[in-house]
Amino acid sequence: MTATQICQQFIQDISRTTWYEYVAVFTGIASVWYSRKENILVYPTGLINTVIYVYLSFKGGLLGETGVNIYYTIMSCYGWFLWTKKDQQQHLVLKITTASLKEWMRHLGFFAVFYTAIFFALTYLKKDFAPGAIPWADAFTSATAFTGMWLMTKKKVESWYWWIATNISSIPLYFVKHYVFTSVYYIVLLIMAFAGLFEWLKRKNTPLNLQV
């Protein structure tokens, strides 16, 4: 695809962007901003984002993305619970930590299981139910996102590495599926993911009260 064709597709697709996609994008950016700051508002803003993207993805026949956003929605509720959980002294139980080698192996296994399952499911569904699917790319993006979200609920620094991988793969993936504004959104998220990584590396093992 030439630069001219890319520009033409961008202009055509951006003109078709709905108001609720704009809402989803801006609440998604807000959610990542709050996660970087270890602020509990990461979850209510994130829920608005994921619920809208469940609708957008399903409407567009993007089953992989639909599944990812349903998972995000469920894990946002779980993460909200974990991030606000307190001990008997009313101190927050969860704090930012880094993973051990054993935990890293578990994370990679988690990713591998989801990648394999999603790849074969989309390969099977592509012909009749999900013509817009790109099994290997959708599976990679979905599995990294699943892993990143799981680790974020646990306040693991490594969640940001998985988010970086998700964002890098999502930029071209959404562009070729004509969700251009969402593609630009993932460029912004990629930049914010690097900022979040550096912020959490500074904050790790430091107990902080959640801001509200």
Side-chain angles (χ1 to χ4, degrees):
M1 184 178 285
T2 66
T4 302
Q5 290 173 319
I6 291 173
C7 289
Q8 288 175 341
Q9 180 177 326
F10 180 86
I11 293 169
Q12 289 172 359
D13 291 340
I14 203 74
S15 67
R16 292 196 290 266
T17 301
T18 60
W19 67 267
Y20 41 87
E21 187 175 348
Y22 282 105
V23 172
V25 165
F26 287 119
T27 53
I29 291 171
S31 181
V32 175
W33 173 265
Y34 287 130
S35 66
R36 174 191 167 195
K37 296 296 183 181
E38 203 181 349
N39 189 309
I40 195 60
L41 289 176
V42 57
Y43 290 114
T45 53
L47 280 167
I48 295 171
N49 168 271
T50 58
V51 168
I52 294 174
Y53 268 114
V54 167
Y55 171 75
L56 281 171
S57 301
F58 185 77
K59 181 183 176 183
L62 307 178
L63 297 186
E65 288 81 356
T66 302
V68 168
N69 282 287
I70 290 173
Y71 172 83
Y72 279 168
T73 302
I74 295 169
M75 292 300 286
S76 289
C77 296
Y78 178 59
W80 199 338
F81 167 74
L82 288 183
W83 280 38
T84 54
K85 188 176 181 181
K86 294 182 179 180
D87 58 22
Q88 291 182 342
Q89 287 74 42
Q90 294 303 301
H91 297 142
L92 293 169
V93 173
L94 209 59
K95 60 184 180 180
I96 296 173
T97 57
T98 52
S100 65
L101 178 60
K102 184 178 180 180
E103 288 174 320
W104 257 110
M105 293 299 102
R106 244 189 340 256
H107 304 166
L108 291 171
F110 185 93
F111 165 78
V113 168
F114 274 101
Y115 178 88
T116 303
I118 295 167
F119 174 80
F120 284 109
L122 289 178
T123 300
Y124 174 76
L125 294 170
K126 181 175 174 63
K127 183 178 179 181
D128 297 319
F129 300 102
I134 306 172
W136 68 269
D138 286 328
F140 179 83
T141 302
S142 299
T144 55
F146 276 35
T147 310
M149 190 67 184
W150 172 47
L151 295 181
M152 195 183 82
T153 66
K154 306 290 187 182
K155 286 194 180 181
K156 289 294 184 182
V157 170
E158 290 73 17
S159 64
W160 292 104
Y161 296 124
W162 294 97
W163 287 133
I164 288 167
T166 301
N167 295 331
I168 289 172
S169 59
S170 293
I171 293 166
L173 188 61
Y174 276 96
F175 187 86
V176 300
K177 294 182 179 183
H178 303 287
Y179 286 88
V180 171
F181 193 60
T182 296
S183 181
V184 174
Y185 160 60
Y186 276 103
I187 295 174
V188 176
L189 293 191
L190 176 61
I191 296 168
M192 294 179 72
F194 278 106
L197 172 61
F198 297 138
E199 182 77 18
W200 277 32
L201 283 169
K202 288 191 297 184
R203 288 172 176 245
K204 67 178 181 177
N205 299 319
T206 303
L208 295 171
N209 289 323
L210 287 177
Q211 301 173 15
V212 293

